[in-house]
Amino acid sequence: MAKKKAPAPAGTPAIVALTSAQAEFTVHAYEHDPAHPSYGEEAAQAMGVSPDRVFKTLVADVDGVLTVAVVPVSGSLDLKALATAVAGKRASMADPALAERTTGYVLGGISPLGQRKRLRTVVDKSAQAHATICISAGRRGLEVELPPATLTTLTGATLAPIARH
């Protein structure tokens, strides 16, 4: 008699990664408006969550190495602080097409979890002030809420002050 394989987890690669890790998380879906000027602010408004608890995923180039930065949507990424956090000299935003190819996600839906190629990750230390934060689940209009410690553990992230508030 053949053994039955457990069904593969369903969803985006980020949700699959969380499910495979048996992490506790909540999925929040909302209707994405392509005309909205900010994906993160749209997510915060749609979920009724403070923008300080909704984090955006940005891909930067630090001394030629792609690096993921996770910062609150209420702030912006401090590139100099990001470079310092990974012992680099210079940081700039990565080419959008390269970020999409490398992560396997589209802009506005890049998740720090379940990326095609695991990149070094830095999460803004302000995440620790919250019991849970929301990050992209891997597509526009889909967020996951999880404890910051779960995010840092699953991504191997460093916590550092990389956001301007």
Side-chain angles (χ1 to χ4, degrees), residues 14 17 25 41 50-51 81 118 128 139 151 153 157:
F25 64 97
E41 288 177 14
S50 165
R118 187 171 173 171
Q128 292 178 299
R139 83 170 179 250
L151 176 62
T153 298

Side-chain angles (χ1 to χ4, degrees), residues 56-144:
K56 56 189 169 186
T57 306
L58 303 170
V59 181
D61 178 319
V62 181
D63 300 332
V65 178
L66 290 182
T67 304
V68 172
V70 183
V71 297
V73 300
S74 59
S76 61
L77 174 61
D78 181 334
L79 288 165
K80 191 171 192 164
L82 176 64
T84 300
V86 296
K89 289 183 171 52
R90 293 184 46 124
S92 60
M93 294 306 296
D95 173 69
L98 179 61
E100 289 183 340
R101 268 194 322 275
T102 305
T103 64
Y105 293 116
V106 298
L107 292 184
I110 293 178
S111 177
L113 298 165
Q115 295 179 354
R116 185 176 290 150
K117 179 183 177 192
R118 187 171 173 171
L119 301 174
R120 70 178 171 187
T121 302
V122 182
V123 176
D124 185 65
K125 72 174 188 165
S126 68
Q128 292 178 299
H130 308 286
T132 60
I133 60 171
C134 298
I135 59 169
S136 175
R139 83 170 179 250
R140 297 171 187 155
L142 197 64
E143 295 277 312
V144 289

